[in-house]
């Protein structure tokens, strides 16, 4: 069979197959297809940097041009993962610098990237084009300067929400005059001022620039200049959206925006002076994405904007939009697919704005294409959730955060089990779910029973006991990532479903009731998982085995225990001992 | 082939089942507690390979199983609730079992770059070594900083995970401090079961303040509830919100919302902490919190001097140590300069502080004059 199809033909066919899943399927057909496929795979996605070592990746795929790697667990975003946990990019860049000289793209999420790494990238990969650092940390603007100075063909530099040590804005001036290849530049997370004239010149000489996200220090007065030099922009992130009131300021802005005929996405909007908002009205009808989540503007202004964006597909906004604004959204934006509403005052438990569950219900009623929701609110009811579930059966992502932990249905004082149960029962395509509010084991029964497509579940302050966790682990067939905090789940559910853990990418549990003894047992039984106990109180060996550990992170891996764990993490080993060797 | 996993059926014989699909829901009986119990104990591998820890666990589980699984526990690690096994019931007697509380000292350098640190035995010292000499106690002998200073507020559910933090982290300090702190622990013990009761019986009301006020036995009722990582908002967003709302001041004079997290590092400490400056309103509060957070290092540092050897280190001595020539707190401001904390008015400090660092007094000598100059120039 192998010789009925010449390799070259198969390779050619495979070049049309881009998706990882399909590629993986191809490689399972037979040995020769495995070989052919691995030699021509160009992109690899590694969801957990410790699941596989650089050597394994390089050995299997010798011709990679693009890597995407994720590091820390998701809960690191909320300070639940202690500093020093890991996720270092360094070993990867060292290995790849030798193995993949033609590497073009690196996309990282929640990894620790040092300036040294950036320098290695800059000097090792001659054809380097794309660097996306999402929620990364560990580097400074000096590292960025290396990238700017040395990557001749750089197309994308995207620093999305990374924590950068901002030494100065001077790094931007390191882009040589010969650099004309930029397509996307996102420096929104940087704090210091970049040299504006360098920025202007850079923008002018890059005719393919499609995406430009400025940082807060770029003043509004300078925006028209930039926009005039880049009328082909498709995505723009403004800097601070405020300026001294001058008559020509507004008209300059209006003209500049009018010139941007291709603009589809807007973001930024720090420190907004509402007077200048009408400047973007000319582009509203073409907008598909609008991020006002940093904009301190009130409902009337938001409504004026949103009501003009009939083609809006994605809206990120603060709760200043209020229920009234969400009503308008529901009636004007029939193409809305994704809505995120963030809290303007997250630590205040008393409502500061009239934003309630009603707003979300309205949107679910009015927007038939709604598939992704992230909603922070102060109260919720089962009735509302049931209605939302009925209105939006096509939900893919539903993340609800009721600000007060364990808040019950505000109408009936009952748990919100029935409401979330309705969500999982009606929304058959649901892939991601985040729970909040007062929940018993019953909600997990529903989830285990209905959420068959669920891939990622986030649980906080929920459940009664092990049965809850058991329902999830035994019922959710597609579960890949499970993260739990402050919930009374313990040993029994974990141990009874230990086999499940090998089918998942990772499990995070913090402030639960998992005992050290159970961790040791898991480590002993499940050789292909790393069972990492995170405990800042010192070695778990100094406490009884039944004593619960603070945090545990379990993930499957081909590489065995990692060697870069800090001294507050213990990896359970095969002998069932604490790896410290203390009996 | 790997040994049989903990399959729901089969109990360690016959079915070598690695796939989750073998573990079916159907195989679980409704009286699943019992079932699980059997399942757990039926691990033939477990008992043959390493009998003592596993069977101990089994035993404990047997006795606690029926209780635990049905109880409305709130899953506090190291919970003070008395239902748990006696070995955990340390606080009930009012005595602190130091051996269990006092964490182990980590390796000397505390830098986590070397390999084979935790997988292979070796560098860590046993508790008894450290107890004798108080020498070079470094490393994670304190709990998550956030947890610790949240206890000083103890609002709402922060009592829960934070309870642990204070419980074990100050276990350090309590070994050396007077019995005053035992009282606080007792207070926490009382709080916890009460909370369990509340949640269990659906006593939650929509009244938000109840959550805040109910177990506010310790201090600062004015501070808002601050559970680590809740609500789940990224630091970037939190900090941005904080600064933008400060720009548009609330009319009713409410304090600026949002958090302002800055990193705190200390010379000799293995890793950084993050501190929310908005929680504090004076330098004294910040200083106290930092002391608590990093106190173990200070103790370690003084360990070489014989005075600290075996005597109880009172809180005031601790403070003296920090305020003495040993350590000073410095911060990096917006311009990138390092200044001594305390020179400028608190509001100004919060505005400009990017990062904190606790350094040895000797290292900080050059800072004072500059700080004075700078504030002079500002004024």
């Amino acid at each position: 069979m192998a010789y009925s199809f010449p390799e070259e033909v198969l390779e050619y066919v495979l070049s049309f197959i881009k998706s990882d899943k399909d590629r993986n399927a191809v490689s399972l057909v037979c040995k020769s297809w495995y070989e052919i496929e691995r030699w021509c795979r160009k992109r690899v996605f590694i969801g957990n940097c410790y699941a596989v070592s650089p050597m394994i990746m390089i050995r299997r795929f010798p011709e990679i041009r693009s890597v995407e790697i994720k590091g820390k667990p998701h809960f690191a975003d909320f300070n639940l993962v202690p500093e020093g946990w890991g996720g270092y990019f360094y070993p990867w860049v060292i290995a790849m610098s030798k193995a993949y000289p033609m590497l073009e793209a690196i996309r990282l999420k929640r990894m620790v990237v040092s300036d040294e790494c950036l320098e290695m990238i800059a000097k090792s990969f001659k054809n380097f084009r794309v660097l996306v650092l999402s929620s990364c940390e560990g580097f400074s603007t000096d590292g960025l300067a290396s990238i700017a100075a040395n990557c001749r063909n750089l197309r994308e530099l995207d620093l999305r929400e990374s924590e950068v040590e901002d030494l100065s804005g001077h790094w931007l001036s390191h882009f040589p005059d010969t650099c004309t290849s930029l397509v996307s530049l996102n420096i929104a997370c940087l704090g210091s001022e970049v040299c504006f004239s360098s920025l202007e010149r850079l923008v002018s000489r890059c005719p393919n620039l499609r995406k430009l996200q400025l940082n807060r220090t770029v003043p509004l007065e300078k925006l028209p200049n930039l926009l005039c030099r880049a009328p082909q922009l498709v995505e723009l992130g403004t800097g601070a959206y405020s300026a001294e009131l001058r008559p020509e300021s507004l008209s300059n802005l209006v003209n500049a925006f009018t010139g941007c005929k291709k603009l589809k996405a807007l973001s930024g909007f720090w420190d907004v002076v509402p007077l200048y908002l009408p400047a973007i009205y000319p582009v509203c009808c073409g907008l598909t994405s609008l991020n006002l989540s940093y904009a301190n503007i009130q409902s009337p202004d938001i409504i004026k904007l949103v009501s003009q964006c009939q083609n809006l597909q994605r809206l990120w906004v603060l709760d200043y939009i209020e229920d009234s604004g969400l009503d308008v959204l529901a009636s004007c934006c029939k193409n809305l697919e994704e809505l995120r509403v963030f809290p303007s005052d997250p630590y205040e438990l008393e409502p500061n704005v009239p934003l309630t569950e009603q707003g979300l219900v309205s949107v679910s009623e009015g927007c038939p294409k709604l598939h992704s929701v992230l909603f922070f609110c102060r109260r919720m009811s089962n009735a509302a959730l049931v209605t939302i579930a009925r209105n939006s059966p096509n939900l893919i992502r539903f993340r609800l955060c009721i600000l007060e932990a364990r808040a019950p249905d505000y109408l009936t004082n009952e748990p919100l089990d029935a409401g979330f149960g309705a969500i999982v029962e009606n929304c058959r395509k649901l892939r991601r779910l985040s729970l909040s509010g007062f929940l018993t084991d019953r909600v997990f029964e529903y989830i285990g029973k209905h959420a068959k497509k669920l891939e990622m579940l986030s649980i906080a302050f929920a459940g009664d006991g092990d049965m809850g966790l058991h329902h999830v682990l035994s019922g959710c067939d597609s579960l890949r990532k499970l993260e739990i905090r402050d919930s009374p789940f313990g040993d029994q559910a974990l141990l009874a479903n230990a086999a499940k853990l090998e089918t998942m990418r990772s499990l995070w549990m913090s402030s639960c009731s998992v005992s050290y003894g159970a961790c040791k047992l898991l480590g002993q039984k499940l050789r292909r998982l790393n069972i990492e106990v995170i405990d800042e109180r010192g070695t778990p060996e100094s406490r009884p085995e039944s004593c619960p550990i603070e945090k545990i992170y379990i993930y499957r891996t081909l590489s065995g225990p990692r060697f870069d764990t800090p001294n507050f993490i213990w990896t359970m080993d095969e002998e069932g001992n604490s790896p410290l060797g203390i009996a | 082939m790997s040994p049989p996993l903990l399959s729901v059926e089969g109990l360690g014989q016959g079915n070598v089942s690695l796939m989750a699909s073998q573990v079916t829901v159907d195989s679980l009986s409704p009286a699943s507690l019992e079932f699980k119990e059997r399942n757990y104990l039926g691990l033939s591998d477990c008992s043959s390979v390493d009998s003592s820890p596993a069977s101990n666990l089994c035993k404990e589980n047997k006795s606690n199983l029926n209780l635990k699984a049905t109880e409305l526990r709130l899953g506090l690690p190291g919970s003070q609730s008395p239902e748990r096994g006696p070995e955990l019931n340390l606080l009930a007697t009012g005595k602190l079992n130091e051996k269990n509380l006092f964490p182990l000292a980590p390796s000397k350098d505390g830098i986590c770059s070397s390999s084979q640190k935790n997988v292979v035995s070796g560098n860590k010292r046993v508790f008894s070594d450290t107890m004798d000499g108080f020498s070079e106690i470094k490393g994670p002998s304190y709990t998550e900083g956030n947890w610790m200073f949240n206890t000083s507020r103890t609002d709402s559910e922060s009592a829960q995970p934070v309870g642990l933090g204070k419980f074990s982290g100050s276990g350090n300090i309590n070994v050396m401090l007077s019995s005053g702190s035992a009282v606080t622990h007792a207070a926490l013990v009382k709080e916890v079961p009460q909370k369990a009761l509340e949640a269990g019986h659906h006593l939650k009301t929509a009244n938000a303040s109840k959550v805040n006020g109910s177990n506010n036995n310790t201090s600062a009722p004015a501070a808002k509830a601050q559970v680590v990582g809740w609500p789940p908002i990224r630091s970037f967003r939190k900090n941005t919100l904080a600064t933008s709302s400060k720009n548009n001041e609330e009319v009713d004079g409410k304090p600026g919302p949002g958090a302002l997290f800055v990193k705190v590092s200390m010379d000799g400490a293995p890793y950084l902490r993050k501190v929310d400056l908005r929680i504090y309103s004076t330098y004294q509060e910040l200083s106290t919190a930092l002391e608590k957070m990093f106190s173990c290092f200070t103790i370690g540092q003084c360990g070489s001097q014989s005075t600290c050897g075996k005597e109880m280190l009172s809180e005031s001595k601790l403070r003296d140590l920090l305020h003495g020539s040993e350590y000073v707190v410095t911060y990096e401001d917006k311009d990138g300069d390092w200044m001594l904390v305390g020179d400028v008015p608190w509001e100004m400090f919060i505005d400009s502080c990017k990062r904190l660092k606790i350094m040895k007094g000797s290292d900080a000598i050059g800072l004072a004059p500059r700080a004075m100059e700078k504030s002079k120039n500002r004024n």
Side-chain angles (χ1 to χ4, degrees):
Chain A
M1 243 72 63
Y3 41 75
S4 62
F5 228 34
E7 263 186 41
E8 294 82 12
V9 175
L10 188 57
E11 251 186 65
Y12 181 69
V13 171
L14 288 185
S15 66
F16 293 99
I17 300 184
K18 312 274 189 212
S19 119
D20 282 341
K21 272 204 180 118
D22 292 340
R23 283 242 161 199
N24 291 344
V26 163
S27 66
L28 289 176
V29 168
C30 63
K31 280 217 166 98
S32 61
W33 280 41
Y34 177 90
E35 282 298 310
I36 295 168
E37 192 282 317
R38 78 180 186 90
W39 276 98
C40 67
R41 191 175 311 205
K42 297 280 181 282
R43 295 182 65 135
V44 68
F45 167 75
I46 293 167
N48 173 6
C49 64
Y50 291 118
V52 80
S53 70
M55 283 331 294
I56 292 178
M57 171 186 74
I58 290 167
R59 199 171 59 211
R60 178 167 174 191
F61 300 119
E63 296 289 330
I64 292 293
R65 296 271 192 271
S66 156
V67 289
E68 183 177 345
I69 311 175
K70 294 189 180 179
K72 298 186 200 171
H74 174 237
F75 273 175
D77 285 351
F78 317 127
N79 292 338
L80 287 176
V81 177
E83 299 258 348
W85 175 87
Y88 304 105
F89 182 55
Y90 190 70
W92 293 88
V93 74
I94 292 287
M96 293 193 298
S97 62
K98 300 186 195 101
Y100 298 147
M102 299 309 294
L103 191 69
E104 293 174 4
I106 293 174
R107 294 177 171 87
L108 305 177
K109 189 164 186 180
R110 287 190 208 99
M111 291 198 76
V112 178
V113 181
S114 61
D115 282 345
E116 213 179 344
C117 295
L118 294 178
E119 278 153 27
M120 282 231 79
I121 294 174
K123 71 172 194 254
S124 312
F125 308 119
K126 297 299 165 211
N127 202 20
F128 195 68
R129 299 184 183 186
V130 172
L131 183 62
V132 177
L133 299 173
S134 179
S135 303
C136 294
E137 59 172 354
F139 60 101
S140 76
T141 41
D142 286 350
L144 295 178
S146 304
I147 298 281
N150 296 303
C151 300
R152 306 278 165 87
N153 290 321
L154 195 67
R155 308 235 170 123
E156 275 182 57
L157 179 60
D158 188 336
L159 303 178
R160 267 179 234 191
E161 286 164 347
S162 290
E163 226 174 277
V164 186
E165 195 184 339
D166 212 333
L167 301 171
S168 84
H170 189 59
W171 68 273
L172 193 83
S173 317
H174 284 252
F175 278 108
D177 292 335
T178 47
C179 172
T180 58
S181 50
L182 264 190
V183 172
S184 165
L185 180 65
N186 177 357
I187 56 170
C189 63
L190 294 180
S192 59
E193 217 174 293
V194 292
C195 171
F196 191 74
S197 52
S198 300
L199 178 61
E200 260 187 345
R201 284 198 308 273
L202 180 63
V203 167
S204 304
R205 64 178 183 267
C206 294
N208 296 322
L209 193 66
R210 282 206 310 266
K211 190 164 125 172
L212 178 64
Q213 274 142 315
L214 307 167
N215 69 348
R216 204 169 178 171
T217 61
V218 176
L220 193 59
E221 295 96 4
K222 309 272 196 185
L223 194 56
N225 269 345
L226 278 178
L227 291 182
C228 292
R229 285 156 210 266
Q232 76 283 3
L233 277 182
V234 174
E235 285 184 50
L236 171 71
T238 72
Y241 206 78
S242 52
E244 275 179 30
L245 297 166
R246 260 187 237 123
E248 68 273 12
S249 303
L250 183 58
S251 53
N252 284 348
L253 257 185
V254 173
N255 290 336
F257 273 111
T258 316
C260 296
K261 308 265 185 230
K262 298 192 178 172
L263 212 50
K264 289 226 170 315
L266 276 180
S267 59
F269 295 109
W270 287 285
D271 314 315
V272 179
V273 166
L275 195 74
Y276 290 107
L277 283 175
I280 65 174
Y281 291 171
V283 297
C284 279
C285 57
L287 282 186
T288 56
S289 166
L290 183 56
N291 182 352
L292 296 173
S293 62
Y294 296 107
N296 241 356
I297 52 179
Q298 303 305 313
S299 185
D301 292 313
I302 303 179
I303 288 177
K304 273 190 227 143
L305 258 183
V306 153
S307 52
Q308 300 186 56
C309 302
Q310 284 90 7
N311 287 315
L312 205 59
Q313 292 168 13
R314 182 201 301 161
L315 177 66
W316 292 21
V317 72
L318 285 172
D319 55 11
Y320 292 137
I321 191 172
E322 298 179 15
D323 284 344
S324 53
L326 289 174
D327 287 339
V328 172
L329 183 68
S331 58
C332 294
C333 305
K334 295 303 182 185
N335 289 327
L336 194 72
E337 297 175 11
E338 178 183 334
L339 174 66
R340 295 195 189 192
V341 179
F342 295 96
S344 51
D345 193 353
Y347 299 105
E348 179 54 63
L349 289 174
E350 295 299 326
N352 62 331
V353 282
L355 176 101
T356 69
E357 81 284 5
Q358 266 316 117
L360 186 56
V361 171
S362 301
V363 175
S364 74
E365 262 165 29
C367 305
K369 299 188 188 171
L370 189 69
H371 60 58
S372 294
V373 171
L374 170 59
F375 197 73
F376 285 81
C377 59
R378 286 184 166 83
R379 70 179 203 199
M380 186 49 66
S381 66
N382 282 312
L385 283 172
V386 168
T387 310
I388 292 166
R390 201 179 50 233
N391 292 336
S392 308
N394 295 320
L395 281 179
I396 296 176
R397 293 169 203 97
F398 188 71
R399 299 158 69 187
L400 181 70
C401 178
I402 306 170
L403 290 176
E404 184 191 332
R406 300 197 187 88
D409 178 326
Y410 77 98
L411 293 171
T412 65
N413 244 12
E414 284 172 0
L416 288 170
D417 301 336
F420 279 107
I423 295 278
V424 293
E425 201 178 345
N426 284 13
C427 307
R428 292 287 167 167
K429 304 180 196 167
L430 199 67
R431 294 207 302 254
R432 183 168 180 183
L433 178 64
S434 298
L435 305 171
S436 61
F438 184 48
L439 297 164
T440 71
D441 278 349
R442 175 129 277 173
V443 73
F444 299 114
E445 207 183 305
Y446 296 143
I447 292 174
K449 187 165 171 207
H450 296 289
K452 296 303 180 186
K453 294 263 163 72
L454 194 66
E455 295 178 6
M456 182 170 176
L457 179 61
S458 307
I459 302 173
F461 306 104
D464 307 314
D466 279 89
M467 276 314 286
L469 180 57
H470 174 70
H471 286 307
V472 170
L473 287 177
S474 56
C476 297
D477 299 333
S478 311
L479 196 64
R480 291 188 300 116
K481 289 180 279 184
L482 180 57
E483 50 186 23
I484 306 174
R485 62 163 297 177
D486 295 275
S487 301
F489 302 136
D491 301 342
Q492 295 141 17
L494 263 189
L495 293 169
N497 293 283
K500 172 75 171 172
L501 297 175
E502 281 189 357
T503 68
M504 293 165 53
R505 182 189 294 174
S506 66
L507 167 65
W508 168 278
M509 292 177 75
S510 57
S511 305
C512 297
S513 310
V514 180
S515 75
Y516 180 51
C519 298
K520 288 194 343 187
L521 197 56
L522 282 173
Q524 191 194 332
K525 291 287 152 200
L526 302 168
R527 307 284 169 85
R528 292 183 297 200
L529 298 182
N530 277 351
I531 316 285
E532 292 183 3
V533 170
I534 302 171
D535 210 313
E536 291 175 277
R537 299 169 293 175
T539 175
E541 288 293 327
S542 63
R543 293 179 288 280
E545 274 198 9
S546 52
C547 186
I549 42 105
E550 285 177 357
K551 306 178 192 197
I552 185 170
Y553 187 51
I554 300 176
Y555 56 91
R556 63 182 172 190
T557 177
L558 296 176
S559 310
R562 56 183 175 115
F563 293 115
D564 60 1
T565 43
N567 52 18
F568 50 87
I569 295 187
W570 290 267
T571 308
M572 303 296 101
D573 75 356
E574 294 171 353
E575 271 79 58
N577 290 330
S578 154
L580 300 180
I582 297 167
Chain B
M1 188 67 170
S2 339
L5 290 175
L6 302 159
S7 51
V8 178
E9 289 204 292
L11 303 176
Q13 64 224 11
N15 307 327
V16 176
S17 158
L18 292 175
M19 301 306 287
S21 54
Q22 303 275 346
V23 179
T24 56
V25 181
D26 303 326
S27 57
L28 261 195
S29 62
S32 37
L33 293 174
E34 222 177 55
F35 185 71
K36 280 196 208 99
E37 195 177 346
R38 222 178 35 236
N39 167 43
Y40 185 70
L41 296 176
L43 294 169
S44 47
D45 275 18
C46 148
S47 45
S48 60
V49 172
D50 196 1
S51 50
S52 44
S55 56
N56 277 343
L57 185 56
C58 296
K59 258 187 261 156
E60 272 152 18
N61 254 32
K62 223 202 287 207
S63 55
N64 295 335
L65 204 63
N66 291 329
L67 290 174
K68 273 188 188 170
T70 45
E71 250 168 26
L72 292 167
R73 292 170 306 149
L74 290 167
L76 302 177
S79 159
Q80 299 92 331
S81 57
E83 298 94 70
R84 300 225 172 191
E87 69 284 341
L88 283 180
N89 206 359
L90 302 161
L91 293 181
T93 59
K95 251 202 292 184
L96 299 166
N97 187 340
E98 292 156 8
K99 181 161 182 150
N100 287 327
L101 287 178
F102 197 95
L104 207 64
S107 62
K108 312 137 217 154
D109 58 3
I111 313 289
C112 29
S113 52
S114 61
S115 58
Q116 300 177 3
K117 190 173 289 297
N118 293 313
V119 179
V120 181
S121 74
N123 291 332
K124 316 235 163 146
R125 258 169 291 164
V126 188
F127 167 77
S128 50
D129 294 345
T130 55
M131 226 10 216
D132 288 340
F134 272 112
S135 49
E136 273 192 62
I137 299 168
K138 289 189 229 169
S141 9
Y142 53 89
T143 59
E144 169 76 38
N146 285 337
W147 289 13
M148 286 221 50
F149 64 77
N150 273 331
T151 37
S152 62
R153 303 289 176 250
T154 27
D155 292 328
S156 81
E157 280 77 22
S158 60
Q160 313 271 3
V162 167
L164 167 67
K166 182 152 188 181
F167 169 72
S168 48
S170 13
N172 254 342
I173 303 173
N174 283 333
V175 167
M176 295 155 263
L177 292 180
S178 59
S179 56
S181 345
V183 173
T184 347
H185 282 294
L188 274 174
V189 177
K190 288 198 202 86
E191 287 167 11
V192 168
Q194 187 212 351
K195 263 273 152 237
L197 219 57
E198 274 179 27
H201 295 130
H202 308 286
L203 285 181
K204 272 239 155 281
T205 61
N207 183 0
S209 60
K210 179 178 191 201
V211 172
N212 281 335
S214 60
N215 52 356
N216 202 355
N217 295 340
T218 46
S219 59
K224 299 171 191 160
Q226 293 264 359
V227 178
V228 177
W230 191 265
I233 301 174
R234 294 182 177 187
S235 312
F236 182 72
R237 187 171 291 282
K238 270 194 283 215
N239 288 352
T240 309
L241 277 180
T243 36
S244 29
S245 48
K246 216 152 51 77
N247 292 339
N248 315 341
E249 206 74 61
E250 307 268 41
V251 179
D252 59 359
K254 272 205 295 194
L260 188 58
F261 283 95
V262 295
K263 290 186 180 181
V264 188
S265 61
M266 176 162 171
D267 285 344
Y271 54 98
L272 305 177
R273 294 295 188 198
K274 277 193 185 160
V275 164
D276 179 3
L277 290 181
R278 290 217 186 279
I279 289 188
Y280 314 107
S281 44
T282 64
Y283 282 118
Q284 184 53 45
E285 285 174 20
L286 176 62
S287 162
T288 315
L290 289 178
E291 275 167 40
K292 285 207 178 107
M293 223 188 285
F294 289 97
S295 59
C296 50
F297 298 121
T298 317
I299 295 165
Q301 292 304 321
C302 89
S304 47
Q305 303 161 18
S306 53
T307 42
C308 294
K310 298 244 169 45
E311 60 186 30
M312 305 273 275
L313 205 62
S314 63
E315 279 201 46
S316 52
K317 259 199 177 166
L318 208 59
R319 221 172 285 129
D320 289 343
L321 217 53
L322 274 181
H323 288 164
S325 57
E326 279 293 333
Y327 286 96
V328 290
V329 186
T330 61
Y331 72 101
E332 185 184 8
D333 71 0
K334 287 204 168 116
D335 304 328
D337 297 325
W338 287 93
M339 326 260 281
L340 274 179
V341 164
D343 289 338
V344 300
W346 176 256
E347 287 303 327
M348 204 187 295
F349 164 67
I350 290 205
D351 248 346
S352 55
C353 172
K354 269 184 10 183
R355 195 175 359 177
L356 290 172
K357 189 167 180 178
I358 304 177
M359 54 173 81
K360 292 214 178 69
S362 43
D363 292 339
I365 284 179
L367 293 182
R370 262 198 305 163
M372 295 302 283
E373 246 178 59
K374 244 195 159 167
S375 50
K376 267 191 227 139
N377 291 341
R378 283 213 185 96
N379 296 341

